[in-house]
Amino acid sequence: MPIRRCSIGKRSTNPVIFAALLNELMPIHFKQYDELDLPKVADEVLKQWEVEDTFGQSLELRKDAPPFVFYEGPPSANGLPGIHHVMARAIKDIFCRYQTQKGNLVHRKAGWDTHGLPIELGVEKELGITKEDIGTKISIEDYNAACKKAVMRYTDVWNDMTRRIGFWLDLEHPYVTYQTKYIESVWWLLKQLYDKDLLYKGYTIQPYSPAAGTGLSSHELNQPGTYKNVKDTSAVAMFKVKEENASEFLFKDAFGEVFILAWTTTPWTLPSNTALTVGPKLEYVRVKTFNPYTHEPQTVVLAKARLNAYFRSDVEEPMHAIASSVLLGVPQKDAFENYDKNGKLIPWQVLDGEFYGHQLEGITYEQLLPYAQPEQGEAFKVIGGDFVTTEDGTGVVHTAPSFGADDMRVARQHNIGTLTLVDLQGRFTKDMGEFAGKYVKNEYYPEGTAPDKSVDVEISIKLKEMGRAFKVEKYEHNYPHCWRTDKPILYYPLDSWFVRTTAKKDRLIALNKTINWKPESTGTGRFGNWLENLQDWNLSRSRYWGVPLPIWRTKDRDEELCIGSLKQLKEEIAKSVKAGVMKEDPYASFKVDDMSDANYDTVDLHRPFADNIVLVSPGGKPMKRETDLIDVWFDSGSMPYAQLHYPFENEDGLKEKFPADFIAEGVDQTRGWFYTLHAISTLVFDQVAYKAVVSNGLVLDKNGQKMSKRLGNAVDPFKTLDEFGADAVRWYMISNASPWDNLKFDAEGIKEVQRKFFRALFNTYNFFALYANIDKPELGVDVSAARTESDRWILSRLNSLIKLADTNYTEYEPTIAARAIQDFVVEDLSNWYVRLNRRRFWKGEQGNDKNAAFQTLHRCLEVVAMLSAPIAPFFSDRLYRDLAEKSVHLSNWPKHDDALIDTELEERTKLAQSLTTLVLSIRKKEGHRVRQPLQKMMVPVTDAIMRKRLEAIQELVLGEVNVKELVILDANESKLTKKIKPDFKKLGARMGKLMKTVAAAVNAFDQAQIAELEANGTMKLTLDGQEVELLREDVDITAEAIPGLSVASDGPITVALDITLTEPLIEEGLARELVSRIQTLRKETGLEVTDRINLHIQRNGNERFERAVQGHAKHILAETLALTPENELLVTDLPNISPGRHALELDESLSCAVYITPNGR
RNA sequence: AGUCCUGUAGCUCAGUUGGUUAGAGCGCUACACUGAUAAUGUAGAGGUCCGCAGUUCAAAUCUGCGCAGGACUACCA
């Protein structure tokens, strides 16, 4: 364990004081590790967190800091967590941790969503019952108790996963939606809506199963197998237009009576028709023809685009005799005059004058089947609706508002009345004359009792006889069926309670525009468009396990009461008991102002308890609760308030905890939780519920398929965590794709992250620790004057990185931050800085150069730990503790220092890296290994900036590529050939259409022309008869080659390498080769890095070799940490002791013998 | 059916306000390196930038129409 020498002081920005303090903070021994084991690190750090309560400490540390508000969307604990939850939870954790490091107080309360249909279905499956059994085989009370028990089944598993992925969340004090306090807050919210007249009872068209006698949710309708292809009788009915002012134009030159055609696949809805809907922008025509069944002359109206569907036009005289497709036939002349009433060939003719749908609006027609009249509103009128298409049918929609959602909507807009001539059992009502009592679908009859002809068929026959059928045929379509009874559903008007969200539509839209959506398109697109087409929120659910609607009503519906608190409920119960309506108060044990959990535990507001309460109205009549439950989405949308038991407790607390600064969930919550949060806060508080929201995408398998148990491609989160550790999994998920893009999960990717990022970081730290422990550098002294070019460079990179990471974490772009951190660690720090500066860490004297190196690397590692802490909380904590002796999660986010960012320095280092690459490439091509020194490299320059940069990086590059000198050539004076390239961007803007010709001309320039342009700065060209002026700035001129030398180039940079080997160079190369072999030997013989040795080399008669050893003896001895006197290095006879004697092969033709022993301490 | 997202190398992804020869990592092949070494370097193979049409001197990038995958919502005459 590191030994701390003094307690942590407040940091100062003054470099001298800072340095002094740093020295105090610095451990004097750094822990070293043998191998990187991320799962083990995670385990150990997790235990440390639990022992120290690091999460609690992090909150305590920020207790007076400005709050950053986060809301946890409650998962349902009745299912097991999957790998996608790891993703979702990691994203939440990242920003909470980041904001904590930034100095904010971030509370994170866990939550559980406990109500809802999936839970009910699960329990029913388990108990082997159906909804019908509730109240008979099982009491509501027992049923709900079973639900309550089932719903928290997997909380332990969830909590375990949450801990293991490192998500800091207050799991000890979650909000739970079934708790009485929670429900009380929900009731309070409902009452706010009620008091604002935003809660009302209305009816809507909902999927309804007459066989089961229940409405169905869209969830139920989406069960597999509910939609089936069925053949139904469809009819095109004819609606007779009344002749009046509005319809006058239809009667001009009319043939017989005038009808509007409308198609339906459900003829049983025709008696309930009250309107016809046309597309206002669609074109319609009149067609003169005969009725195919009665053969009476008639004029029919339909959409022009639908003509071909009903009238054949494959004939020679289209204006006369064309057969209707109703009855196939061939054309004949003089068709109208000669029409044979019994014939199958029906002539038709489009009458002059097309017209638009809106011209039809307002026209009235005779009721088709006058069994009953609507009680309210207008009827039998043509209206306009946007939803009308010309894909099938006639372009006119038969509108029966009771049996279609679109129909109802458009009817309401136009104040059209309704007819509901079908009862809840699916039978025609008594108003339906000869049809009364018949089921509208044959499937509804008890088995074996269905008639031969369905009512669809009977009605169609009747229409034919009446002369009101234009076409009757079987039609195959996809129709939803009840998943329980397997019988077709009806769309039927049902009573429901609604939240009048449409009344606040403008506010919902306006407030949404202030929310920071990630990605933006979800907010403007999916969510924005949804708000534009907002419907009132249907709150009612006819179920058992959920929050009961707190509305009591008298039987005559004249009086009703909405309850907004337990206090109010108790008062009303008291009145009721007093009036003798109830015998006693079932919640008698509840004390009104006692906020203790124990007190609240005495009350259960679920069914059947709430149902048993009968209140008394001001008029003295009994009031019963509306039996509906509310949509569970209202539960979770209430969490900002209900988690605080607002307003009964924490009335002030809400100010600090609302709205949220940040929430995150899957994109599938757009119309779920994201919407309900937004709707409730807008309607009740006229505020947003969250300022920023990240909607993350799905986690797919590696082939891009959705994960599912059925396909067996679901990834077990626990196994994954066991294998790779949370850090690698989180880092992989975040760095691989933006949170909102779908992630193709592939364990190979995690391995890569482990190998590249974590190993590089781990090795860099271990390198640091190894030499820091050996050399005990002074980490406290001020080394600003001693910093080398590469120190300043890596610090510049580091500060750029801090800035970039900060910006991107702030803007909820963790992927960009992660990739930048990773690149910094792998490329800049490990592969460049450490590689270049290795020797500074383990060679030479103590001093400020060495101190500067250690301090620089220490700072880089420490900052990397801080920057990566939000994403990789375990490993970064271990790293930071090893460097600075406290948890990174209690650290303050590093501030970047603009003064340390030197873009010119970064540029020229980039140049150095390019030059290095180029030289290595030439060496490779020419077959000269890096250990062989070369005399010189040449770089042509075309401007002063480049020259200055080269001079600055000269030492660095020469050392890296093992070359003695760098010669900078003036491109203008040397014998270089040059290359010219047009700058398309600059030139294109000026040249326009001539661009291609100019580019071709420039590319064809010879050396003389290039020189001319460089000398004059301008040049006139005549192309295609036009004179254009070419400027020096319009082209890039680069040196291309140096005759006689080996050259490589990359973009504008060209390097030439002199590969002549002189005798001294060869000898130096040999010496280096020897050093390398001896180093390997040291390692192989198990010597420690710091061990000093005795070294002797045996003469082998090769003069060149012996000269090399003698000439470079000092170098050889120093590099290998040998204490042998210089003049004893090369010997004729080696000591004859076998363990120290080794043969070395330097190349194919050269070998030697050496003697190594440890130098006794 | 509507709304939205995605489509670039075998895989995962970058690609600035349209600009030359479209990049990186992994994987593959060959060679080198070896006191940070399950690392690293150099070279190579690998692309109809989903398709078609349009705008433009110039399109992976802008526009339109499609195709494929996905999400959500709806399901209608």
Side-chain angles (χ1 to χ4, degrees):
Chain A
M1 281 295 288
I3 298 154
R4 177 173 296 164
R5 289 196 292 201
C6 93
S7 62
I8 295 165
K10 198 177 177 188
R11 291 205 172 176
S12 162
T13 46
N14 178 312
V16 178
I17 298 173
F18 173 76
L21 284 168
L22 188 66
N23 206 27
E24 294 299 315
L25 293 172
M26 194 70 61
I28 57 170
H29 180 81
F30 294 96
K31 216 167 170 179
Q32 285 168 248
Y33 299 91
D34 291 337
E35 52 168 8
L36 175 62
D37 184 343
L38 287 171
K40 194 173 147 209
V41 170
D43 264 8
E44 290 169 1
V45 172
L46 189 59
K47 284 198 186 95
Q48 213 166 0
W49 285 353
E50 275 160 14
V51 170
E52 293 175 6
D53 185 24
T54 318
F55 180 28
Q57 281 189 52
S58 82
L59 295 174
E60 180 63 21
L61 185 70
R62 310 292 186 198
K63 67 171 188 284
D64 300 319
F68 177 86
V69 183
F70 164 75
Y71 293 156
E72 160 74 353
S76 177
N78 80 318
L80 287 166
I83 192 81
H84 54 292
H85 294 110
V86 175
M87 174 81 175
R89 308 209 132 208
I91 288 165
K92 295 172 183 182
D93 191 50
I94 285 167
F95 298 105
C96 291
R97 283 184 190 272
Y98 165 69
Q99 291 294 343
T100 304
Q101 286 177 265
K102 286 287 280 185
N104 297 311
L105 174 64
V106 190
H107 281 295
R108 299 93 126 165
K109 194 178 180 67
W112 298 108
D113 184 20
T114 56
H115 291 140
L117 187 66
I119 295 149
E120 294 193 10
L121 294 178
V123 165
E124 284 157 32
K125 196 172 166 191
E126 217 166 281
L127 300 179
I129 59 168
T130 65
K131 280 262 174 329
E132 286 79 42
D133 299 327
I134 302 168
T136 54
K137 282 190 194 167
I138 184 172
S139 69
I140 296 176
E141 188 173 350
D142 291 344
Y143 177 81
N144 274 357
C147 287
K148 186 172 178 175
K149 198 173 150 202
V151 76
M152 298 303 270
R153 174 171 308 153
Y154 297 120
T155 46
D156 287 349
V157 185
W158 275 87
N159 287 346
D160 188 34
M161 184 202 73
T162 305
R163 279 193 203 99
R164 292 203 44 202
I165 62 170
F167 181 24
W168 273 355
L169 190 66
D170 182 0
L171 298 165
E172 309 301 318
H173 310 96
Y175 64 90
V176 181
T177 60
Y178 69 56
Q179 286 171 347
T180 307
K181 282 188 177 182
Y182 196 95
I183 295 175
E184 188 181 25
S185 288
V186 173
W187 278 15
W188 179 84
L189 290 166
L190 288 165
K191 177 138 170 67
Q192 302 310 301
L193 295 176
Y194 185 86
D195 290 346
K196 287 172 197 257
D197 192 28
L198 293 173
L199 197 59
Y200 69 95
K201 190 167 193 177
Y203 70 100
T204 178
I205 309 305
Q206 296 168 26
Y208 173 79
S209 171
T214 175
L216 300 173
S217 67
S218 57
H219 175 262
E220 287 165 299
L221 225 50
N222 282 328
Q223 301 269 336
T226 47
Y227 281 85
K228 295 179 184 177
N229 268 330
V230 289
K231 271 193 173 173
D232 278 326
T233 301
S234 75
V236 176
M238 301 169 59
F239 295 84
K240 188 181 169 194
V241 179
K242 287 187 182 168
E243 193 166 1
E244 55 198 2
N245 281 347
S247 60
E248 198 54 51
F249 71 100
L250 294 177
F251 287 87
K252 184 172 175 274
D253 304 325
F255 187 56
E257 292 174 323
V258 179
F259 298 92
I260 296 175
L261 301 183
W263 178 58
T264 178
T265 55
T266 50
W268 59 267
T269 61
L270 285 169
S272 300
N273 172 282
T274 52
L276 293 172
T277 308
V278 295
K281 289 174 193 162
L282 299 177
E283 284 183 299
Y284 290 84
V285 292
R286 290 182 296 156
V287 180
K288 167 184 174 180
T289 186
F290 293 98
N291 186 294
Y293 304 107
T294 63
H295 310 285
E296 293 298 321
Q298 61 184 23
T299 300
V300 297
V301 174
L302 76 165
K304 186 182 175 191
R306 298 300 301 162
L307 262 180
N308 291 341
Y310 297 98
F311 299 98
R312 287 183 53 170
S313 56
D314 51 342
V315 293
E316 57 226 30
E317 288 183 55
M319 288 313 287
H320 284 290
I322 297 173
S324 159
S325 67
V326 176
L327 301 168
L328 294 176
V330 290
Q332 49 183 241
K333 299 204 176 193
D334 306 319
F336 280 93
E337 290 73 12
N338 299 338
Y339 177 59
D340 172 3
K341 290 200 173 194
N342 297 318
K344 297 201 163 190
L345 308 171
I346 304 177
W348 63 278
Q349 182 185 358
V350 175
L351 291 173
D352 287 343
E354 297 163 6
F355 42 92
Y356 287 98
H358 65 81
Q359 290 172 267
L360 294 169
E361 289 182 47
I363 288 173
T364 57
Y365 59 88
E366 288 181 9
Q367 188 177 10
L368 185 70
L369 295 163
Y371 290 99
Q373 297 299 313
E375 286 172 14
Q376 291 170 328
E378 296 182 71
F380 317 124
K381 210 171 102 174
V382 179
I383 56 180
D386 291 335
F387 61 91
V388 180
T389 68
T390 55
E391 274 163 30
D392 44 23
T394 63
V396 180
V397 177
H398 142 63
T399 303
S402 292
F403 304 114
D406 279 339
D407 301 38
M408 177 58 86
R409 193 157 52 242
V410 73
R412 278 206 186 125
Q413 280 164 15
H414 292 88
N415 189 32
I416 296 293
T418 63
L419 279 170
T420 309
L421 300 174
V422 178
D423 65 17
L424 281 165
Q425 282 69 51
R427 288 180 304 217
F428 275 126
T429 62
K430 59 178 173 13
D431 295 328
M432 279 298 296
E434 73 270 34
F435 294 109
K438 291 190 175 175
Y439 285 100
V440 298
K441 294 263 176 196
N442 268 5
E443 288 87 342
Y444 299 154
Y445 284 99
E447 208 168 328
T449 63
D452 291 344
K453 292 193 178 83
S454 70
V455 292
D456 283 345
V457 174
E458 287 195 66
I459 287 173
S460 298
I461 292 169
K462 179 166 174 154
L463 292 179
K464 284 182 190 173
E465 288 166 1
M466 287 165 64
R468 296 298 165 86
F470 182 76
K471 185 177 179 181
V472 174
E473 64 180 356
K474 289 278 182 191
Y475 180 80
E476 187 173 330
H477 62 156
N478 222 359
Y479 198 85
H481 289 66
C482 172
W483 61 283
R484 283 218 300 277
T485 63
D486 225 23
K487 293 182 176 182
I489 61 117
L490 300 183
Y491 287 89
Y492 198 84
L494 295 173
D495 277 342
S496 281
W497 284 87
F498 288 90
V499 179
R500 206 186 305 276
T501 45
T502 49
K504 297 284 180 185
K505 180 173 158 184
D506 293 344
R507 285 302 291 160
L508 286 163
I509 291 168
L511 287 170
N512 180 44
K513 287 184 178 151
T514 70
I515 295 172
N516 178 15
W517 279 86
K518 298 300 287 188
E520 194 193 343
S521 61
T522 303
T524 53
R526 185 184 288 191
F527 194 62
N529 290 339
W530 154 266
L531 291 179
E532 294 289 342
N533 296 312
L534 196 68
Q535 304 295 317
D536 279 348
W537 180 359
N538 186 348
L539 211 53
S540 295
R541 296 292 184 273
S542 314
R543 311 202 192 285
Y544 300 94
W545 177 238
V547 176
L549 194 68
I551 295 175
W552 274 259
R553 260 193 179 188
T554 57
K555 205 171 184 180
D556 57 17
R557 300 181 177 191
D558 285 347
E559 294 172 276
E560 67 184 28
L561 183 66
C562 180
I563 299 291
S565 68
L566 268 168
K567 187 180 173 188
Q568 189 193 1
L569 183 63
K570 291 271 290 180
E571 286 164 6
E572 292 300 329
I573 290 173
K575 283 185 204 168
S576 173
V577 171
K578 200 174 170 190
V581 174
M582 283 181 81
K583 282 195 186 108
E584 56 177 13
D585 177 0
Y587 299 142
S589 58
F590 181 78
K591 295 183 214 62
V592 163
D593 290 316
D594 179 355
M595 292 296 153
S596 71
D597 288 342
N599 186 37
Y600 269 84
D601 283 345
T602 64
V603 174
D604 190 343
L605 296 175
H606 287 93
R607 298 182 69 179
F609 309 106
D611 301 343
N612 295 339
I613 295 168
V614 183
L615 301 180
V616 66
S617 75
K621 286 181 270 188
M623 295 196 292
K624 288 202 157 177
R625 197 185 69 80
E626 291 285 288
T627 50
D628 290 339
L629 302 181
I630 63 163
D631 183 3
V632 285
W633 285 114
F634 198 96
D635 294 14
S636 48
S638 305
M639 65 70 60
Y641 333 97
Q643 69 169 343
L644 301 172
H645 193 211
Y646 179 87
F648 308 104
E649 293 177 76
N650 297 306
E651 203 166 352
D652 295 331
L654 192 74
K655 287 193 194 95
E656 290 205 335
K657 290 176 179 170
F658 176 81
D661 288 293
F662 157 70
I663 60 172
E665 299 293 333
V667 68
D668 56 343
Q669 293 299 333
T670 306
R671 277 123 170 194
W673 195 52
F674 296 158
Y675 172 64
T676 58
L677 278 175
H678 186 60
I680 294 172
S681 70
T682 302
L683 266 57
V684 178
F685 297 92
D686 195 38
Q687 273 196 58
V688 294
Y690 45 88
K691 293 176 191 166
V693 48
V694 175
S695 68
N696 47 271
L698 302 177
V699 179
L700 309 169
D701 78 0
K702 63 180 178 182
N703 300 316
Q705 295 298 306
K706 215 175 158 175
M707 287 188 188
S708 71
K709 279 182 199 143
R710 187 175 55 81
L711 293 172
N713 62 350
V715 172
D716 181 344
F718 293 99
K719 275 188 193 149
T720 310
L721 291 172
D722 286 343
E723 192 173 351
F724 305 104
D727 290 316
V729 176
R730 290 171 58 142
W731 196 275
Y732 161 70
M733 287 178 154
I734 295 306
S735 65
N736 190 30
S738 281
W740 35 90
D741 289 334
N742 290 345
L743 172 70
K744 288 181 195 161
F745 185 90
D746 187 353
E748 288 302 312
I750 309 178
K751 283 185 197 158
E752 189 181 328
V753 157
Q754 236 176 10
R755 219 171 43 224
K756 289 204 74 102
F757 174 64
F758 287 101
R759 193 170 297 281
L761 191 52
F762 171 81
N763 284 337
T764 305
Y765 167 76
N766 250 5
F767 171 81
F768 171 85
L770 175 64
Y771 292 110
N773 290 335
I774 293 167
D775 275 357
K776 306 279 189 283
E778 296 173 88
L779 292 168
V781 299
D782 179 11
V783 292
S784 42
R787 288 212 171 102
T788 62
E789 171 99 351
S790 63
D791 289 342
R792 283 182 287 114
W793 171 77
I794 194 74
L795 289 174
S796 174
R797 297 289 298 149
L798 182 72
N799 278 276
S800 299
L801 178 71
I802 295 172
K803 200 170 169 179
L804 186 141
D806 195 32
T807 308
N808 284 292
Y809 278 127
T810 302
E811 291 174 357
Y812 303 100
E813 293 278 1
T815 305
I816 295 174
R819 287 175 182 170
I821 295 166
Q822 182 168 322
D823 283 348
F824 175 83
V825 168
V826 176
E827 298 300 329
D828 295 342
L829 190 61
S830 173
N831 280 349
W832 187 256
Y833 180 78
V834 174
R835 187 159 56 88
L836 250 56
N837 290 282
R838 270 204 301 256
R839 318 174 63 75
R840 291 172 67 205
F841 290 90
W842 62 279
K843 281 280 290 182
E845 308 300 307
Q846 295 288 344
N848 272 358
D849 175 63
K850 175 178 264 187
N851 290 336
F854 273 103
Q855 280 190 29
T856 304
L857 185 54
H858 184 273
R859 178 66 183 159
C860 287
L861 286 167
E862 178 187 59
V863 169
V864 165
M866 291 191 269
L867 301 186
S868 49
I871 302 173
F874 296 111
F875 184 80
S876 64
D877 204 20
R878 166 63 59 83
L879 178 59
Y880 194 80
R881 284 170 193 262
D882 287 341
L883 292 164
E885 297 203 282
K886 70 168 187 175
S887 171
V888 73
H889 305 294
L890 303 176
S891 73
N892 289 316
W893 188 259
K895 282 201 180 71
H896 75 269
D897 183 350
D898 275 323
L900 293 177
I901 297 176
D902 183 343
T903 46
E904 164 56 28
L905 174 55
E906 293 192 21
E907 276 305 310
R908 64 176 180 258
T909 305
K910 210 177 273 171
L911 177 64
Q913 288 166 334
S914 303
L915 289 178
T916 305
T917 299
L918 290 172
V919 173
L920 292 177
S921 169
I922 298 171
R923 277 183 168 277
K924 168 85 184 163
K925 195 167 61 187
E926 301 293 340
H928 292 300
R929 48 183 48 174
V930 181
R931 272 199 294 277
Q932 173 60 58
L934 293 173
Q935 192 54 42
K936 66 178 174 183
M937 57 186 285
M938 283 151 282
V939 179
V941 296
T942 46
D943 59 54
I945 299 172
M946 177 92 157
R947 180 181 288 273
K948 254 186 107 177
R949 284 180 181 166
L950 281 174
E951 284 164 356
I953 60 174
Q954 184 166 330
E955 287 307 311
L956 195 154
V957 173
L958 291 177
E960 182 63 8
V961 299
N962 195 17
V963 175
K964 301 273 174 214
E965 56 180 314
L966 171 65
V967 179
I968 299 170
L969 299 175
D970 189 328
N972 294 318
E973 290 169 17
S974 61
K975 290 167 246 148
L976 301 175
T977 49
K978 290 181 187 170
K979 201 164 66 180
I980 187 164
K981 245 170 49 181
D983 183 331
F984 275 67
K985 207 167 178 175
K986 282 185 190 137
L987 211 49
R990 284 183 33 229
M991 299 299 168
K993 294 200 179 197
L994 273 173
M995 185 63 211
K996 264 186 189 149
T997 354
V998 175
V1002 169
N1003 283 329
F1005 272 17
D1006 59 26
Q1007 294 292 316
Q1009 283 173 298
I1010 296 172
E1012 188 192 334
L1013 178 60
E1014 276 197 294
N1016 299 339
T1018 173
M1019 191 181 225
K1020 290 206 160 40
L1021 296 173
T1022 306
L1023 299 160
D1024 295 350
Q1026 286 189 54
E1027 184 169 279
V1028 295
E1029 189 180 26
L1030 189 66
L1031 299 174
R1032 174 66 183 82
E1033 299 83 68
D1034 291 334
V1035 297
D1036 288 329
I1037 297 175
T1038 50
E1040 191 180 33
I1042 302 166
L1045 290 171
S1046 195
V1047 168
S1049 60
D1050 171 28
I1053 307 166
T1054 299
V1055 181
L1057 191 61
D1058 183 348
I1059 51 166
T1060 317
L1061 292 180
T1062 61
E1063 187 58 30
L1065 288 175
I1066 294 171
E1067 285 172 22
E1068 188 182 338
L1070 267 179
R1072 286 196 173 220
E1073 204 67 55
L1074 183 61
V1075 168
S1076 163
R1077 297 291 190 271
I1078 294 169
Q1079 300 289 35
T1080 309
L1081 206 54
R1082 281 184 57 117
K1083 198 178 175 187
E1084 282 170 3
T1085 52
L1087 289 165
E1088 289 300 314
V1089 177
T1090 47
D1091 286 343
R1092 299 298 195 262
I1093 57 167
N1094 299 314
L1095 173 67
H1096 301 286
I1097 300 162
Q1098 190 172 31
R1099 291 179 184 276
N1100 64 355
N1102 183 309
E1103 277 182 39
R1104 181 183 266 174
F1105 173 74
E1106 292 179 8
R1107 266 205 313 278
V1109 174
Q1110 274 172 329
H1112 297 93
K1114 202 175 236 169
H1115 171 76
I1116 295 168
L1117 292 168
E1119 287 290 317
T1120 58
L1121 299 182
L1123 300 175
T1124 313
E1126 231 176 284
N1127 59 359
E1128 292 173 22
L1129 178 59
L1130 194 62
V1131 294
T1132 312
D1133 293 306
L1134 291 178
N1136 196 14
I1137 305 165
S1138 67
R1141 195 190 164 98
H1142 303 272
L1144 291 181
E1145 193 170 299
L1146 294 173
D1147 63 40
E1148 309 80 56
S1149 59
L1150 188 62
S1151 55
C1152 69
V1154 300
Y1155 173 81
I1156 294 183
T1157 51
N1159 183 277
R1161 270 158 266 174

